[in-house]
Amino acid sequence: MESSIRLAHVGDEGVTAICEKLLNPALESVDLSRSQFGKQGLAMLISAISEAPHVATIDLSMNNFGPFGANCIAEALICGWKISTINLSRCDLGLEGIRALSEAMTMAPNLANIDLSCSGMCEEGGFAFAEAMTKSMGIQKLILSANLLGKSCKAISVNLKHLDQLAALDLGENGFDDDAGRALAEAIPGLASLEELAVWEAPEPSDPGYDADHAWPVLPRLSADVLARLLAACRRKGFELSTDPMSL
């Protein structure tokens, strides 16, 4: 029996068939990225997954279900959803959805890995997430890249100390500034489980060696002193600061 399934472009009309597949007790991973669910289909799917405790990983990326979808997932997490890994990249969750999901993550002890890259978190959502971090979260891999977090990068960096199981973190392309860089450099020594850290920016034509045909991400545009401190903090932990975007 298959342990994983991958379906795309199923729409609401295909949800019933998916729900039947979820009854397979051998099924552990479900990839439903780009599935174009509507509200009704998504609500049915979340309910079905709640009844399938054997499913540990779900990919819902690139489904533009907005705050409604985030609230459905948040409610499921609060009610004891057993999912350990979830990809919500490019789902445009909105501020309301981010707030609901952030709070729900504090009540989801099984949730270990989450991708919220390019999810519409923005600066205000980043502050809401940072506040939720002060409560209990068992997150091991956290991807927050490409959300334009701005000033909330510092608040998130400061509150990393509360994520004592965190092993991998991606904060790339978020307008990372010197204040955030200093806070992150100070937080790194206290993160006992941290093994991977990515902080990067999209390249710009003004960058040395810029090549439009090979535009790889670059290190954050920090002052020389702050960047040096950040790089040194990583090296003391036994790894290099990465410019490679993470994925689940």
Side-chain angles (χ1 to χ4, degrees):
M1 300 178 73
E2 58 186 348
S3 62
S4 63
I5 57 173
R6 186 177 188 277
L7 301 166
H9 306 294
V10 297
D12 281 0
E13 62 276 10
V15 171
T16 299
I18 293 173
C19 291
E20 291 175 358
K21 288 181 177 291
L22 290 173
L23 297 174
N24 173 5
L27 191 63
E28 300 175 353
S29 176
V30 180
D31 184 347
L32 296 171
S33 55
R34 299 186 181 92
S35 289
Q36 301 175 348
F37 297 118
K39 291 183 177 181
Q40 181 179 359
L42 181 64
M44 288 176 58
L45 177 67
I46 298 302
S47 177
I49 294 174
S50 297
E51 300 298 322
H54 44 278
V55 175
T57 299
I58 185 164
D59 186 345
L60 291 170
S61 62
M62 290 176 278
N63 284 298
N64 190 22
F65 46 58
F68 174 83
N71 277 289
C72 284
I73 293 167
E75 184 175 347
L77 288 171
I78 291 170
C79 292
W81 223 21
K82 302 300 182 183
I83 293 294
S84 62
T85 299
I86 186 167
N87 189 344
L88 296 173
S89 175
R90 300 181 183 275
C91 285
D92 194 21
L93 304 178
L95 179 58
E96 176 192 343
I98 289 295
R99 283 174 170 162
L101 194 60
S102 299
E103 188 64 25
M105 287 171 64
T106 69
M107 294 175 269
N110 293 301
L111 186 62
N113 311 297
I114 187 166
D115 187 343
L116 290 169
S117 61
C118 201
S119 62
M121 183 175 285
C122 72
E123 188 170 278
E124 191 172 353
F127 281 116
F129 188 85
E131 177 62 25
M133 289 168 66
T134 63
K135 305 174 185 179
S136 177
M137 279 189 188
I139 296 298
Q140 297 173 24
K141 186 168 188 176
L142 177 62
I143 303 175
L144 297 176
S145 54
N147 276 306
L148 300 179
L149 296 175
K151 298 298 182 183
S152 68
C153 284
K154 178 182 178 181
I156 290 171
S157 296
V158 168
N159 286 343
L160 287 172
K161 61 189 176 185
H162 299 286
L163 304 186
D164 56 6
Q165 298 180 54
L166 187 66
L169 172 67
D170 187 344
L171 285 170
E173 202 170 15
N174 277 310
F176 214 76
D177 63 12
D178 277 0
D179 286 341
R182 292 187 191 95
L184 184 55
E186 291 173 4
I188 289 172
L191 300 175
S193 300
L194 191 66
E195 299 174 346
E196 298 178 75
L197 175 63
V199 185
W200 48 274
E201 300 290 346
E204 295 180 352
S206 59
D207 290 333
Y210 176 81
D211 182 347
D213 294 326
H214 300 90
W216 310 116
V218 298
L219 287 170
R221 296 177 178 86
L222 304 174
S223 66
D225 174 65
V226 173
L227 181 59
R229 289 171 61 182
L230 185 55
L231 293 171
C234 292
R235 288 168 183 155
R236 282 193 291 269
K237 289 287 288 184
F239 59 81
E240 296 290 332
L241 182 65
S242 175
T243 58
D244 295 328
M246 292 184 186
S247 60
L248 293 180

